[in-house]
Amino acid sequence: MAELSLVDLLRKLVSIPSVNPMLADDPAIGTEKPLAEFMAGFLEWRGFQVDWIEPIAGRPNVVGRFGPAQPRRSILVESHIDTQGIHGMTVPPFEGGVRDGRLYGRGACDTKGPMAAALHALQPELLHRLAEAGVQVIYVGAVGEEKGNVGAEQLADLQLGADEALILEPTELAIVHAHKGAMWFEVETRGRAAHGSNPRLGVNAIQGMLKVIQGIEADVAAVQQKPPHPLLGQATVNFGLIRGGSSINIVPDRCVLEVDRRTLPGEDNAAILSRVRQQLAALEEQGLVTGWDVRAIKDGTPFETTASSRLVQRLAASCRGAGEPGRTEGAAWYSDAGPFARTCREVAVFGPGSITQAHTVDEYIELASLEKGRAILFDFFTQLAVEHEGAKA
């Protein structure tokens, strides 16, 4: 494999379709496997020992390791390899066209741009320097981030972790060291059908669900009475989807609600669902529903690493060295940092590009941001080596 320039490496990554299978009508582009194969080959060419972890057939996570088996310190660098779909795109999704200082295409920003910056920064000389300083680098390409953080959850369940984790996402070169959790769940209420002309003979499942909505809102309001998190603000809830009933003149006997609850560090997801179940049991006892169910869809936990951690401080210093402010912040959105916070002591999300360009019809990354991101990451890894060369001496 020949060495590519940073821009050519990103163009290569964009040219390999890796649309999340749940977001593609065409199976030829709705697969992460070709990009996983390229990443595995690239990492092996760089000297990594590569494992292919495939709990779901055809959707492989790639895990490469470089450095000592018993390291002084380990760092996990992760980029998800799936992208959003291409419906409605106004630019060719897989060409990686460059114009006006921007590279266009699906994944150019989210998150193949940050991926290219990190892969290009990890030059062989730097990798060997890190290894000689006792640092192990674990590079992960994870499937399924766009629909449930599937790969990261699988790998965290397998206890893949490190002292530090750098999750690559377009953060405009800001350092995100905390974000909310994303707990998604489905509530079903059941009632009894009757003719709409005599609704008292039935039990209206939709009206029962209105009580559920009020109860969930009251539960969130109680949490919001506490002081807001200094980085993340308040917990929130969104009722994203509701369906029920079969006809305008029939009392509905079933209603289903999908809930997006954004949680703060310290909240207990199991306790939140337990309170919903208690409310539903009370509604059933009152005869307002005849039955119910609660099903978890996603159990995404929040994460928080202190701004004073070695990881954040080293990254901030590298940002300042490149003329960036080294801004630290929290985020309302969710990423693979959530699962890896279970297995890594210090976690941060970072990368070139803007989250406002992710998922757009003309997705692009500014080449100046891409180049600066690569320079920051190169310095970050260099300083990690320096830190442990000093400890070794």
Side-chain angles (χ1 to χ4, degrees), residues 12-68:
K12 177 64 177 178
L13 295 173
V14 169
S15 75
I16 303 172
S18 58
V19 175
N20 187 292
M22 297 177 68
L23 299 170
D25 297 328
D26 181 358
I29 64 170
T31 171
E32 298 122 327
K33 191 170 183 178
L35 184 57
E37 290 171 338
F38 175 83
M39 180 177 286
F42 185 94
L43 291 172
E44 287 175 344
W45 177 64
R46 279 283 196 253
F48 284 78
Q49 293 183 327
V50 176
D51 291 320
W52 193 268
I53 301 174
E54 194 172 355
I56 301 174
R59 303 191 70 185
N61 299 295
V62 175
V63 179
R65 298 176 186 269
F66 195 106

Side-chain angles (χ1 to χ4, degrees), residues 332-347:
W333 41 256
Y334 194 74
S335 77
D336 284 346
F340 282 115
R342 295 193 274 122
T343 59
C344 302
R345 288 204 290 268
E346 299 176 7
V347 182

Side-chain angles (χ1 to χ4, degrees), residues 63-111:
V63 179
R65 298 176 186 269
F66 195 106
Q70 301 295 324
R72 180 175 290 106
R73 195 159 182 87
S74 56
I75 181 166
L76 184 150
V77 184
E78 190 257 20
S79 51
H80 65 85
I81 57 179
D82 63 321
T83 71
Q84 278 286 314
I86 64 171
H87 299 292
M89 288 195 71
T90 59
V91 297
F94 308 122
E95 282 187 11
V98 175
R99 66 177 186 274
D100 301 324
R102 297 169 174 175
L103 190 148
Y104 289 82
R106 181 54 83 220
C109 176
D110 181 21
T111 194

Side-chain angles (χ1 to χ4, degrees), residues 218-361:
D219 189 63
V220 174
V223 176
Q224 292 175 341
Q225 293 302 309
K226 300 176 183 178
H229 189 282
L231 289 171
L232 304 176
Q234 297 282 12
T236 62
V237 65
N238 178 60
F239 304 107
L241 186 150
I242 190 166
R243 55 188 182 273
S246 58
S247 176
I248 193 170
N249 64 340
I250 297 176
V251 174
D253 63 357
R254 183 173 181 267
C255 184
V256 176
L257 173 71
E258 292 186 11
V259 184
D260 178 355
R261 176 74 153 78
R262 299 296 166 133
T263 59
L264 299 175
E267 287 197 86
D268 185 334
N269 290 4
I272 292 170
L273 290 184
S274 178
R275 292 194 292 271
V276 175
R277 292 187 177 100
Q278 289 169 11
Q279 179 196 3
L280 284 158
L283 292 174
E284 185 175 15
E285 187 175 333
Q286 297 165 33
L288 298 176
V289 298
T290 63
W292 53 271
D293 199 4
V294 177
R295 294 178 285 271
I297 300 173
K298 177 185 178 71
D299 190 24
T301 54
F303 95 95
E304 182 177 15
T305 296
T306 63
S308 61
S309 66
R310 292 163 70 181
L311 168 63
V312 174
Q313 287 296 303
R314 190 186 315 113
L315 190 51
S318 293
C319 287
R320 290 191 293 270
E324 289 293 315
R327 186 173 77 253
T328 58
E329 60 188 32
W333 41 256
Y334 194 74
S335 77
D336 284 346
F340 282 115
R342 295 193 274 122
T343 59
C344 302
R345 288 204 290 268
E346 299 176 7
V347 182
V349 186
F350 177 82
S354 172
I355 196 69
T356 61
Q357 268 300 310
H359 306 187
T360 59
V361 296

